[in-house]
Every structure is written in structure tokens, then in C-alpha cells.
Amino acid sequence: MKIYKKWVFVLGCVCAAGSLGGSVYLLMRGDVGLGLATLVELFLFGASLIVISMSYEATRDIYNQPDERSQLIRMKAGHSTLYAVSIVIHVLAILVDRIIEGDISQYIQVTLFGVFALIWLVYAVMLIYFDKRS
Amino acid sequence: MKKIKSVGAFICGLVFMIVGVIMLFWRDYGTQGALRTLLGIEVVLVGVSQLLGSFSYEAVNNDKKHPPDERSIDIRMRAKAWSFDIVTWIMMIVPPLVGMFDAVDSGTHAIVMVAVYGILSVALLIKAALLIFYERNL
């Protein structure tokens, strides 16, 4: 694996290692709440930074005009991400319903459904926009 | 009527919107009421996106009957890539804005923040992994 941006990689490692340590500490104290959820997210951010540092397209200078292949790669990645995110959102909603009880579960489910609705609304608008433009 | 590419999607969108509006009128106090109102707004949003989709050939085309050409694939990819970027920015901006205007209490705000940034972090991870995947396979 080649690392294209070292500082992004280091930042990702710091985020992931710090949050992992924090999560273990909270778990040992038996504190399983929003703090732990936030640390898990920070770990995921760290992991995504590490992966981003290994992608040429993600770390490429924006002033450097992307060629046709670059544009295609970015479009394909964005295209597939939306499908993947929609599936992940539904899986998370089902898991939250099964695991967490009470008002928290409903807040999270409403937020998940809100993001899902927003994604498809923007997609419909973008489809009409690009259909007319191209 | 010619502009409607799929009557089924159009009717489906209208039904979603009507259900969402009914949920909005079914008001209640407390947490349940607030959640039901939010859900109503979201169902209306799904209905609006269905309604808009019914006007788009690319959104409602049956690929088995009419296989998509290069232009269709390009339009769909562009739309999805831009949707992802726009939704990412909206998701990053909304939680701090909600906090700034004291729209919800701090407990709810914390839960929503965790949920929103959770989706965002998973999405970023998937996008970065997909970028590497396509870089190697294209």
C-alpha cells in the first residue's frame, strides 16, 4: 500500500489510536453511553483518514485538473457510496430498534430516516438537473 | 401529463406526501409528538423525491426493457456523486446550526449529533475504500 499524504495518515492513526484507548478505558469503567458512541465514531473517522491517505484521487490537489479517468473514478465512487450508505442506514435502523430501548432509539431512527429522505430528494433534483444540462 | 415519465411513481409520491401531511396534523405533546412531527416531514420529503423522480426518465426507467446507454450511466453517476457531496456538507453543517439556535435540548442534540456523525464517518470510510477499489480496477 502506498501512502500519498503522510500527514493525513498520521492524523488518522492518532485519531484511531486515541479513540481506541478511550473506548477501552470507558468499557473497563462500564460506561456504555453516548461517550463511547462518540469515541467509536472518532475511530471510524480515523480509519477513513488512513484509507483516504492511501487513495491518490482522494488526496489529489484540487487545483490540479483531474483527467477523464480521475473524474470517472470519483463519479463511480460517489455513485456506489450512495447505494452503500442507503443500505447501511437501513441496517443501522433495524439494529438500533433491536438493541437500544426507549426514546434514544426513536431519536436515532428518525435521524437515520431523515438522512435517507434527504439523500433521495437531492438525488432526484440532481437527476433532473443533469438530464437537462448534459 | 407528458412530462410524467411514470404514473406509478407519481401516485406513490402523492400518497407519501398525503400520509406525511396527515402525520403532521396528528399533533401531540412531548417527545412522541416531536418525533412524529419530524417523521411526518421526512415522509413528505420521500414523497417529494418520488414525485420529482416521476418527472425524470433516468429515475424511473426499467433497465431490463430499455438498457441504459452511455449518457444515462453518466447522468446517474454524476447525480449520485453530487448528491453524496451535497448531503455530506448538509450533514456536517446541520448539527452545529441546531445547537446554535437552541432548537432542541442538549440531550437530544447529543444523540442526533452522534447519529449524524456516525453515518458520516461510515460514509467517508466507504467512499475512501471505493476510491481505492476503482483506482485499481479502472
Side-chain angles (χ1 to χ4, degrees), chain A residues 41 48 55-57 69 75-76 79-81 83 106-107 110 112-114 121 123 128 130-131 134, chain B residues 31-32 35 42 49 52 59 71 74 77-78 80 82-84 108 114 116 118-119 125 132 134-135 138:
Chain A
E41 280 174 10
S48 53
S55 161
Y56 173 68
E57 295 302 335
R69 184 176 169 271
M75 278 202 298
K76 269 190 179 283
H79 179 76
S80 310
T81 306
Y83 274 127
Q106 288 167 335
Y107 280 124
V110 165
L112 289 173
F113 191 66
L121 181 67
Y123 176 52
I128 293 174
F130 281 115
D131 209 357
S134 58
Chain B
T31 309
Q32 288 298 321
L35 285 172
E42 288 165 7
S49 58
L52 283 175
R71 183 176 172 271
D74 189 52
M77 279 203 301
R78 271 177 195 272
K80 279 226 169 71
W82 274 91
S83 308
F84 176 76
T108 312
V114 166
V116 165
I119 301 167
L125 193 62
I132 292 177
Y134 285 118
E135 269 172 37
L138 276 181

Side-chain angles (χ1 to χ4, degrees), chain A residues 1-2 4 34 37-38 40-42 44-45 47-52 54-58 69 71-85 88-89 92 103-128 130-134, chain B residues 3 16 31-32 34-36 38-39 42-43 45-46 48-50 52-53 55-59 71 73-84 86-87 90-92 105 107-108 110-132 134-138:
Chain A
M1 276 284 184
K2 196 177 173 187
Y4 290 97
L34 280 178
T38 312
V40 170
E41 280 174 10
L42 195 63
L44 284 175
F45 264 119
S48 53
L49 281 179
I50 292 170
V51 182
I52 283 169
M54 292 172 183
S55 161
Y56 173 68
E57 295 302 335
R69 184 176 169 271
Q71 278 177 340
L72 187 70
I73 289 170
R74 289 177 199 181
M75 278 202 298
K76 269 190 179 283
H79 179 76
S80 310
T81 306
L82 266 202
Y83 274 127
V85 169
V88 168
I89 281 176
L92 277 177
D103 288 346
I104 297 174
S105 156
Q106 288 167 335
Y107 280 124
I108 295 173
Q109 280 181 10
V110 165
T111 309
L112 289 173
F113 191 66
V115 175
F116 176 74
L118 193 66
I119 283 175
W120 291 98
L121 181 67
V122 175
Y123 176 52
V125 174
M126 285 288 128
L127 265 181
I128 293 174
F130 281 115
D131 209 357
K132 291 200 169 175
R133 222 185 112 192
S134 58
Chain B
K3 281 193 172 177
F16 264 108
T31 309
Q32 288 298 321
L35 285 172
R36 196 177 293 136
L38 277 175
L39 199 64
E42 288 165 7
V43 172
L45 282 183
V46 172
V48 172
S49 58
Q50 278 284 324
L52 283 175
F55 294 114
S56 163
Y57 171 75
E58 300 302 339
R71 183 176 172 271
I73 295 169
D74 189 52
I75 287 170
R76 287 179 198 178
M77 279 203 301
R78 271 177 195 272
K80 279 226 169 71
W82 274 91
S83 308
F84 176 76
I86 291 169
V87 173
I90 291 173
M91 278 163 75
M92 284 181 113
D105 64 89
T108 312
I111 294 162
V112 171
M113 283 262 276
V114 166
V116 165
Y117 286 124
I119 301 167
L120 206 59
S121 55
V122 172
L124 280 178
L125 193 62
I126 293 170
K127 195 187 180 188
L130 282 170
L131 272 174
I132 292 177
Y134 285 118
E135 269 172 37
R136 288 177 172 209
N137 288 289
L138 276 181

Side-chain angles (χ1 to χ4, degrees), chain A residues 11-75:
Chain A
L11 196 67
C13 284
V14 170
C15 273
S19 55
L20 202 63
S23 308
V24 172
Y25 174 70
L26 284 184
L27 276 174
M28 279 167 65
R29 275 180 50 188
D31 190 358
V32 190
L34 280 178
L36 184 67
T38 312
L39 281 175
V40 170
E41 280 174 10
L42 195 63
F43 175 77
L44 284 175
F45 264 119
S48 53
L49 281 179
I50 292 170
V51 182
I52 283 169
S53 73
M54 292 172 183
S55 161
Y56 173 68
E57 295 302 335
T59 55
R60 199 170 163 175
D61 189 351
I62 51 162
Y63 299 109
N64 191 355
Q65 283 294 314
D67 56 12
E68 225 168 88
R69 184 176 169 271
S70 286
Q71 278 177 340
L72 187 70
I73 289 170
R74 289 177 199 181
M75 278 202 298

